[in-house]
Amino acid sequence: MKIIKLIFKNAFRHKLRTALTIGGMAIVVIAFGLLRTVVTAWYVGVEGSAADRLVTRHSVSFILPLPYAYLDKVKQVPGVKHVSFFNWFGGIYIDKTQFFARFAADANTVFDVYPEFVVNKKELEDFRKERNACILGRDIAKQYNLKIGDVMTLEGDIFPGRWDFVIRGIYQPKFKTTDATAMIFQWEYLNERMIEESPERANEIGWFAIKIDNPNEAAAVSNKIDALFKNSPAETKTETERAFQQGFIAASSAIIEGMNAISFIIVGIIMLVLGNTMIMAARERTREYAVLKTLGFSGGHLIGLIMGESLFISALGGGVGLALTFPIVAFFESVLPKGWFPIFQVEPVTIILAISAVIIIGVAAAIFPVQRALSTKIVNGLRFVG
Amino acid sequence: MSEIIQVKNLSKSYWRDSFEIPVLNNINLTVNEGDFLALMGPSGSGKTTLLNLIAGIDKPTNGDVVVNGTDISKLSESALAKWRSSNVGFVFQFYNLIKVLTAYENVELPLLLTKLSKAERKKHVETALSIVGLGDRMNHYPKQLSGGQEQRVAIARAIVTDPLILVADEPTGDLDKNSADEILTLVERLNKEFKKTILIVTHDPHAAERAHIKHHLDKGELTLEQS
């Protein structure tokens, strides 16, 4: 027999109590994993932003357009390498629950500014040749079983009417954090329709995406761009893509921070639950610990026994929780409206945090029982009646 | 025979809040190797305290306890724990077996602190259990054994490391007469056959009759009755 066997046997001395604690631990790890996954999914745009990319938008609000005519001036600013521009299109595909990002973009520059959207040369050429061509992210193409040559019809809301697009390319995400759920079509197609149907909305763009030569000069380049349009009817605000993304999600940051805090609070709660379980277990075994000490077992042995049991229960619950987190996150992803979170998966950092929490909980829950077992004198322990 | 235990001017007091409660007062006692000694006395007389001090599970307020040349009252807690594991076998009134371990595993417990191999431990455990007559109950859990059998497992656990001295605190206190006789016969046999030095605390005169030496403890004073 080894001490480890005694740890195992002690852990299951009260099977129901241990099972409930393990179940609680598993639920906490699942909740922790799910909440952290939502938080990381929310910030995926920020994480995926490039240091050498700026975004120029209307100084008042992101929803106000900028004149297309600004393009040439922006291109002339020293330090600017490539400039592309976008309009948020919106629209409805199939029904309103089928959500994913749809942009009108400059076909000639969009993939220069966003090299992490990887498109093969032929598909890119085909896309540029055809006015109503579009390129889809890999995940969206897979989700709707769309392939090159298929026609995709959107019902416009911001830009009313029926919009037919021919799929001419499918881009692959270069990095894990790259959004693979966007649809990009030619801004010219949108603009031509606007010229015909709503001339007052023609030649307007939503924002510029600018690739710069040196990320260290981001602030200086931003200031130069904004200075160009000072005191104009459409003043600009230029910032790094990261700042832009952070501003974009700022409205919901309180909720996200709340979720973040809750994910750690529940870890604290289960720490108290496991601590209580261990205190009860150690109290019931006061006499046994005294017997073990009498037989010559040292304080280190008792620490090993109590800490080992606590870590064992914590690890078992954590392991079950972690194993269930993956299918549960996948289930949540499947029931969430499509495209809400372009990347919704359990990140390695979440797994590391969960494992760390499991270890910390296991150790912390054993501190008081260990302290009690060590400080109880043998003669008092032998007299203990639980 | 050589002196194995020397208790010199031993005093022990307990403190309740700010009140000192003297339990043992200037006790002197010598035990020879191979002795079978009984400590008798009324409840609260300090006999268990004296046994605990000799066995190194409590520390004296004053005086010394020398066992086989080692003054155990001067040892640190960790040194004392190590000393106990190889020098003293304990038998308690309520057996104090670990409920979740089998008879075999309970007896094996003290051997986990030694460097014996698994095969050697097995041999020792089987020998100890066969000495107490429970060779066929090795895989039984304490709840599957009678009180007398549990106490025999406890005795096997006490002797499995072949300790210098065996201390028993009211070993028959929780047993019926027949079981108590069996346990006392076993203890007697350990003394006679295996030459173990045994100290037993009891307030049962029949149990004390088995010992060669009887000491009476009352109000912290120790007196030799008769051999």
Side-chain angles (χ1 to χ4, degrees):
Chain A
M1 189 196 65
K2 295 280 179 202
I3 296 293
I4 198 100
K5 190 174 177 183
L6 185 55
I7 290 172
F8 179 78
K9 288 197 169 192
N10 276 340
F12 288 102
R13 202 179 274 219
H14 288 278
K15 290 185 179 66
L16 180 62
R17 187 166 72 194
T18 303
L20 289 173
T21 308
I22 288 171
M25 188 77 200
I27 290 167
V28 161
V29 169
I30 291 166
F32 180 81
L34 198 55
L35 286 170
R36 295 289 316 164
T37 299
V38 171
V39 171
T40 49
W42 208 275
Y43 285 107
V44 77
V46 177
E47 296 304 316
S49 47
D52 62 349
R53 240 176 354 233
L54 304 178
V55 173
T56 299
R57 61 172 175 86
H58 196 289
S59 64
V60 175
S61 167
F62 168 74
I63 61 168
L64 294 178
L66 292 172
Y68 170 74
Y70 282 9
L71 176 63
D72 285 338
K73 289 184 179 176
V74 174
K75 277 182 183 172
Q76 302 305 316
V77 174
V80 169
K81 194 174 178 184
H82 299 291
V83 184
S84 191
F85 52 88
F86 293 83
N87 270 98
W88 176 261
F89 181 75
I92 298 162
Y93 180 62
I94 303 174
D95 61 55
K96 284 184 178 176
T97 65
Q98 310 300 310
F99 180 83
F100 53 91
R102 296 146 200 155
F103 303 109
D106 178 29
N108 293 319
T109 55
V110 59
F111 294 104
D112 296 331
V113 177
Y114 288 89
E116 65 266 40
F117 292 178
V118 181
V119 191
N120 76 43
K121 202 176 168 187
K122 177 164 187 319
E123 289 176 15
L124 188 56
E125 282 172 5
D126 291 346
F127 168 64
R128 284 172 177 161
K129 275 186 218 162
E130 202 169 343
R131 187 60 89 219
N132 68 336
C134 73
I135 287 184
L136 294 181
R138 177 198 63 190
D139 292 355
I140 282 296
K142 189 178 172 189
Q143 184 183 324
Y144 295 103
N145 195 26
L146 294 168
K147 48 194 183 301
I148 292 170
D150 286 354
V151 174
M152 199 176 172
T153 302
L154 299 186
E155 187 62 37
D157 42 21
I158 302 170
F159 302 96
R162 177 192 162 100
W163 299 76
D164 291 321
F165 301 96
V166 182
I167 300 165
R168 289 298 175 211
I170 290 167
Y171 74 81
Q172 304 295 322
K174 190 172 182 180
F175 307 111
K176 211 175 169 188
T177 51
T178 304
D179 180 3
T181 65
M183 173 208 182
I184 298 163
F185 65 92
Q186 288 199 24
W187 179 83
E188 290 292 346
Y189 181 40
L190 174 70
N191 198 47
E192 282 171 7
R193 283 272 294 262
M194 289 301 102
I195 290 168
E196 282 179 23
E197 296 169 13
S198 307
E200 72 283 3
R201 298 179 70 185
N203 299 316
E204 287 181 340
I205 60 130
W207 68 94
F208 291 104
I210 302 156
K211 202 162 179 68
I212 57 176
D213 291 320
N214 184 356
N216 295 329
E217 290 176 4
V221 175
S222 298
N223 289 338
K224 282 177 195 165
I225 293 169
D226 292 341
L228 288 174
F229 309 109
K230 201 142 182 83
N231 299 320
S232 72
E235 291 190 352
T236 60
K237 181 179 179 182
T238 305
E239 57 199 342
T240 60
E241 188 179 45
R242 172 173 280 266
F244 175 74
Q245 294 282 5
Q246 280 171 336
F248 208 60
I249 60 173
S252 11
S253 66
I255 298 168
I256 294 304
E257 289 309 314
M259 289 171 78
N260 204 8
I262 289 168
S263 71
F264 287 101
I265 287 169
I266 57 172
V267 168
I269 291 170
I270 196 67
M271 196 185 285
L272 296 178
V273 172
L274 182 61
N276 190 44
T277 301
M278 289 310 302
I279 286 169
M280 282 195 286
R283 185 181 158 76
E284 288 161 4
R285 289 175 213 150
T286 301
R287 188 192 281 244
E288 285 184 12
Y289 294 143
V291 171
L292 290 173
K293 282 202 257 186
T294 302
L295 296 179
F297 284 81
S298 64
H301 287 110
L302 294 192
I303 292 170
L305 273 176
I306 299 169
M307 195 77 81
E309 183 179 344
S310 182
L311 279 168
F312 177 70
I313 293 173
S314 181
L316 206 57
V320 170
L322 212 50
L324 290 175
T325 299
F326 290 92
I328 288 172
V329 165
F331 169 75
F332 266 79
E333 188 187 16
S334 69
V335 296
L336 282 172
K338 305 297 175 196
W340 265 34
F341 295 111
I343 296 165
F344 194 78
Q345 59 192 28
V346 185
E347 292 293 318
V349 68
T350 299
I351 298 167
I352 292 167
L353 278 174
I355 291 171
S356 305
V358 163
I359 294 168
I360 291 167
I361 289 168
V363 171
I367 289 173
F368 287 113
V370 161
Q371 191 272 335
R372 189 172 187 275
L374 294 183
S375 62
T376 303
K377 288 185 174 175
I378 295 176
V379 288
N380 294 334
L382 290 173
R383 278 199 293 264
F384 181 82
V385 180
Chain B
M1 278 189 280
S2 60
E3 291 179 353
I4 195 163
I5 300 168
Q6 294 163 293
V7 175
K8 300 172 189 172
N9 307 318
L10 190 74
S11 299
K12 176 71 182 178
S13 298
Y14 288 112
W15 289 86
R16 292 279 180 276
D17 300 322
S18 57
F19 298 103
E20 185 180 7
I21 303 166
V23 181
L24 298 174
N25 184 24
N26 207 33
I27 300 285
N28 286 284
L29 173 70
T30 300
V31 180
N32 289 324
E33 193 174 355
D35 275 354
F36 182 179
L37 183 146
L39 282 170
M40 296 187 68
S43 294
S45 61
K47 49 190 191 301
T48 296
T49 301
L50 179 56
L51 193 77
N52 289 343
L53 291 167
I54 292 170
I57 57 174
D58 203 356
K59 291 260 187 179
T61 309
N62 284 305
D64 298 310
V65 178
V66 180
V67 181
N68 202 29
T70 304
D71 187 350
I72 62 167
S73 48
K74 302 280 192 296
L75 295 179
S76 67
E77 283 299 326
S78 58
L80 203 52
K82 201 170 181 183
W83 177 84
R84 282 195 305 268
S85 68
S86 53
N87 289 286
V88 191
F90 294 86
V91 180
F92 305 96
Q93 180 179 355
F94 299 109
Y95 335 127
N96 284 338
L97 300 178
I98 309 289
K99 290 176 191 170
V100 291
L101 301 180
T102 62
Y104 181 97
E105 290 166 340
N106 266 289
V107 177
E108 192 189 16
L109 265 179
L111 297 178
L112 297 177
L113 300 171
T114 67
K115 289 177 178 170
L116 294 176
S117 67
K118 191 179 176 183
E120 287 169 325
R121 291 204 303 267
K122 186 170 187 282
K123 197 176 163 189
H124 280 69
V125 173
E126 285 173 352
T127 304
L129 280 169
S130 67
I131 287 171
V132 300
L134 288 175
D136 57 340
R137 296 295 186 98
M138 287 189 202
N139 296 319
H140 286 63
Y141 286 92
K143 66 181 177 187
Q144 297 168 320
L145 301 170
S146 69
Q149 288 170 331
E150 279 195 73
Q151 193 61 299
R152 282 196 271 160
V153 174
I155 291 170
R157 182 179 66 187
I159 62 171
V160 74
T161 53
D162 193 22
L164 211 57
I165 57 173
L166 190 67
V167 297
D169 187 2
E170 302 279 10
T172 57
D174 197 44
L175 298 173
D176 59 55
K177 190 178 176 304
N178 289 340
S179 299
D181 281 342
E182 279 176 23
I183 293 301
L184 289 169
T185 303
L186 177 60
V187 171
E188 219 171 0
R189 189 179 152 222
L190 291 172
N191 175 250
K192 280 183 185 166
E193 210 174 302
F194 296 93
K195 310 297 180 201
K196 290 286 158 205
T197 305
I198 296 171
L199 277 78
I200 181 172
V201 159
T202 183
H203 53 246
D204 176 7
H206 296 295
E209 283 303 318
R210 306 283 188 121
H212 309 145
I213 305 159
K214 281 181 278 181
H215 282 277
H216 194 85
L217 196 60
D218 196 9
K219 294 176 183 165
E221 305 285 339
L222 189 69
T223 50
L224 177 67
E225 283 203 346
Q226 59 183 46
S227 57

